[in-house]
Amino acid sequence: MSRLLFSRFAHYLDEIAKRGSIRKAAEKLNVSASAINKQLIGAEEEFGVALFERLPRGMRLTSAGELLVSGYREWNKDLSRIKFEIEELKGLRRGEVKIAASHETVPDFLPAAIARFMKDHLRIRNSITVADSERVRQLVRDGGVDFGLTFSPPPLPGVVVTRSADFHLMAMLPVTPGVKQPDSMSIEEFFQKPTIVPDASSHLRDVVDIAAARIGARLQPVLTTNSLSLMRSMVREGCGFGVTAMAKGMPLKDDEEIHCSRIADRGLPPMVLSLIVDPRRSLSMTSIIARRYFEEYFDELSPQAGDAVSHSLEQSSLDNE
């Protein structure tokens, strides 16, 4: 029996099982009863077993028939799901992706990571919420977003980390024409300058405070703000040195008014950006593919990162329970 004929026969078989009668199945399917009966007899001869018990008041599946009908229904369910996903994959013509990201990702990492996806899928709606790291994790857990980018330190209960990337703490210096700026500086040198720092809502502030405490420096910023954009603007105005975070492996972008100088790691706590998901949620194919774009970007920055995910989603889900 060919696959096409089997698929058609299995549909007939399912209807007979539901209605308990060839005649009723034929009426539902608008097919002659003799045609259905002929296919049923042929299938039973091919399988070598009876698929139905012929009773005075109808037909009842045998054990073999139940096995065949159950397999068909599971196959049909999978086929419907696959058809839906294929429709979504056709250029991803519809759908929305919701992402939450820490403030520190906005200047460089986030635009670079999402730009490729947006250029490849112009019709997808993208919604990005920028928040502090702990709020990002909560949005993922509450189902408000599909995935998040957070600097929250582990452990991260309730979520799974699929990728991570190490970040450098960078000093932002105002560019002085004719003056060569250093490519790196010590944390002591940074604190000797007038500093413009984020407030406590930013993970960057935690890093700066810990670094200052470790070397015994007294942090006396000339400006504290919850706006990383304002901090950059004030650095451009020459009011002091600011701080930013940049993924290891990301190229430095030229800025005519700001020079980024890496702050030496001594005394600095690690900065790790994590891509997090809620393992309990079933995401749309659109969201899954968007996440893959981000994961590929993480892997490009650190080629070993894709192989360094310590646990599978399933194992991590168990660990978080």
Side-chain angles (χ1 to χ4, degrees):
M1 183 181 290
S2 71
R3 291 181 182 178
L4 178 60
L5 289 175
F6 176 76
S7 175
R8 185 185 306 156
F9 162 71
H11 187 44
Y12 295 165
L13 185 76
D14 191 28
E15 285 298 329
I16 299 170
K18 288 177 182 176
R19 303 179 190 286
S21 162
I22 290 178
R23 179 182 58 80
K24 291 179 181 179
E27 290 174 357
K28 172 66 178 177
L29 297 170
N30 197 27
V31 178
S32 71
S34 61
I36 293 179
N37 189 52
K38 183 179 179 180
Q39 287 213 25
L40 175 57
I41 292 171
E44 289 179 325
E45 289 176 353
E46 184 167 336
F47 285 115
V49 293
L51 300 176
F52 284 95
E53 294 180 48
R54 274 73 170 175
L55 304 173
R57 294 188 177 181
M59 302 178 71
R60 183 171 63 196
L61 285 168
T62 64
S63 296
E66 287 179 355
L67 186 62
L68 191 59
V69 168
S70 176
Y72 166 73
R73 289 173 180 171
E74 286 298 317
W75 173 81
N76 206 38
K77 188 190 300 181
D78 287 343
L79 182 62
S80 298
R81 175 184 56 80
I82 291 168
K83 283 180 177 178
F84 175 78
E85 292 181 356
I86 288 174
E87 281 299 312
E88 285 199 322
L89 279 172
K90 288 180 180 177
L92 293 181
R93 293 193 295 261
R94 58 182 177 274
E96 181 177 17
V97 177
K98 295 181 180 180
I99 305 167
S102 296
H103 293 279
E104 296 86 353
T105 66
V106 173
D108 301 295
F109 185 92
L110 181 59
I114 198 172
R116 300 180 190 181
F117 176 74
M118 292 181 66
K119 289 174 182 177
D120 287 347
H121 306 290
L122 300 175
R123 299 181 184 180
I124 298 301
R125 300 187 307 276
N126 297 276
S127 174
I128 298 177
T129 299
V130 178
D132 64 84
S133 287
E134 185 54 32
R135 177 62 179 156
V136 169
R137 186 177 72 88
Q138 197 60 49
L139 284 168
V140 172
R141 290 200 63 184
D142 293 345
V145 295
D146 299 318
F147 58 91
L149 300 170
T150 178
F151 281 99
S152 297
L156 300 173
V159 297
V160 168
V161 176
T162 71
R163 292 293 189 278
S164 60
D166 294 326
F167 271 61
H168 291 300
L169 183 66
M170 309 288 291
M172 295 190 296
L173 290 60
V175 170
T176 303
V179 177
K180 181 175 174 55
Q181 303 284 22
D183 292 329
S184 65
M185 66 171 56
S186 68
I187 192 69
E188 290 88 352
E189 289 175 306
F190 175 79
F191 284 122
Q192 289 171 5
K193 304 293 182 180
T195 54
I196 303 170
V197 297
D199 69 6
S201 66
S202 170
H203 179 67
L204 276 175
R205 178 56 182 269
D206 294 338
V207 175
V208 171
D209 285 345
I210 292 171
R214 285 184 178 176
I215 65 169
R218 186 178 179 186
L219 183 60
Q220 293 181 307
V222 295
L223 174 65
T224 301
T225 176
N226 67 343
S227 170
L228 299 187
S229 295
L230 177 61
M231 182 172 61
R232 282 177 171 257
S233 295
M234 299 313 294
V235 171
R236 288 191 181 97
E237 294 294 329
C239 295
F241 285 15
V243 289
T244 189
M246 183 168 292
K248 296 180 180 180
M250 274 195 75
L252 288 173
K253 290 185 177 180
D254 292 333
D255 189 315
E256 293 181 356
E257 298 174 296
I258 291 179
H259 174 78
C260 286
S261 177
R262 180 180 171 183
I263 297 177
D265 288 338
R266 189 178 71 82
L268 295 179
M271 295 184 66
V272 180
L273 180 69
S274 300
L275 192 159
I276 58 173
V277 298
D278 183 345
R280 302 166 300 176
R281 290 189 62 206
S282 296
L283 299 180
S284 69
M285 184 58 63
T286 304
S287 296
I288 291 171
I289 291 177
R291 193 184 82 200
R292 287 175 184 164
Y293 271 72
F294 275 78
E295 290 173 340
E296 288 173 3
Y297 188 65
F298 271 87
D299 293 346
E300 287 177 16
L301 293 178
S302 180
Q304 70 273 21
D307 300 326
V309 179
S310 58
H311 298 288
S312 65
L313 294 183
E314 292 79 7
Q315 182 61 49
S316 296
S317 176
L318 291 174
D319 292 342
N320 287 325
E321 290 179 355

